[in-house]
């Protein structure tokens, strides 16, 4: 399907996001992988989940063989307009509620929840034992 040097925006590529028309972006190049969906060793879900974004990291993380990389040429349709790809943002974790360092009150409550019933049971057994022996 050789590309003719056409440049696509990410929005244009994102429109091709289903099993009948699937385009992905890898290393600044756009590939129409619709015909390869059924043959992909990882299944079509892997390719479909890579649509609408720069899938370079996903592609590289798997560690594709040199034959897989050579096969990409037949699916090439053009280049991506790099200005249309959003810049990566640094991950910021969500704000956590304030962590209470002083857990002594909770600890004391848990001990009392355990000890008070034992003390009551001990007193009840003691009274029962004492009243039987008298």
């Amino acid at each position: 399907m050789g590309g003719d040097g056409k440049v696509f925006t990410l929005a244009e590529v994102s429109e091709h996001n289903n099993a009948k028309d699937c385009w992905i972006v890898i290393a600044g190049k756009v590939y129409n992988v619709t015909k390869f969906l059924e043959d992909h060793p990882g299944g079509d879900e892997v390719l479909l989940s890579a649509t609408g974004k720069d899938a370079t990291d996903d592609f590289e993380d798997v560690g594709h063989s040199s034959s897989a990389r050579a096969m990409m040429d037949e699916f090439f349709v053009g280049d991506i307009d790099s200005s249309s790809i959003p810049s990566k943002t640094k991950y910021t974790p969500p704000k956590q509620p304030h962590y209470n360092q002083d857990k002594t009150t909770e600890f004391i409550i848990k001990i009392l929840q355990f000890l008070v019933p034992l003390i009551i049971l001990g007193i009840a057994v003691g009274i029962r034992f004492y009243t039987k022996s008298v």
Side-chain angles (χ1 to χ4, degrees), residues 9 23 33 41 47 69-70 83 85 96 101 109 113 118 131:
T9 65
W23 290 18
V33 294
L47 293 175
R69 292 175 188 278
S83 66
I85 297 177
Q96 299 286 332
Q101 295 287 339
I109 290 172
Q113 285 176 335
L118 282 179
T131 56

Side-chain angles (χ1 to χ4, degrees), residues 59-129:
F59 181 81
E60 296 298 336
D61 288 346
V62 174
H64 286 86
S65 65
S66 56
S67 61
R69 292 175 188 278
M71 190 185 298
M72 292 170 60
D73 290 337
E74 67 184 87
F75 302 110
F76 177 74
V77 291
D79 293 307
I80 190 77
D81 178 7
S82 59
S83 66
S84 68
I85 297 177
S87 61
K88 293 184 180 179
T89 56
K90 183 181 175 196
Y91 174 74
T92 54
K95 295 194 179 212
Q96 299 286 332
H98 180 66
Y99 179 69
N100 183 6
Q101 295 287 339
D102 185 20
K103 297 278 186 173
T104 55
T105 56
E106 290 180 28
F107 181 70
I108 291 171
I109 290 172
K110 288 194 184 281
I111 288 179
L112 289 176
Q113 285 176 335
F114 179 73
L115 289 178
V116 168
L118 282 179
I119 292 170
I120 293 171
L121 182 64
I123 292 172
V125 169
I127 291 173
R128 176 100 168 134
F129 181 73

Side-chain angles (χ1 to χ4, degrees), residues 42-67:
D44 61 351
E45 294 292 324
V46 174
L47 293 175
L48 289 170
S49 69
T51 61
K53 65 177 183 174
D54 184 355
T56 305
D57 290 339
D58 297 341
F59 181 81
E60 296 298 336
D61 288 346
V62 174
H64 286 86
S65 65
S66 56
S67 61

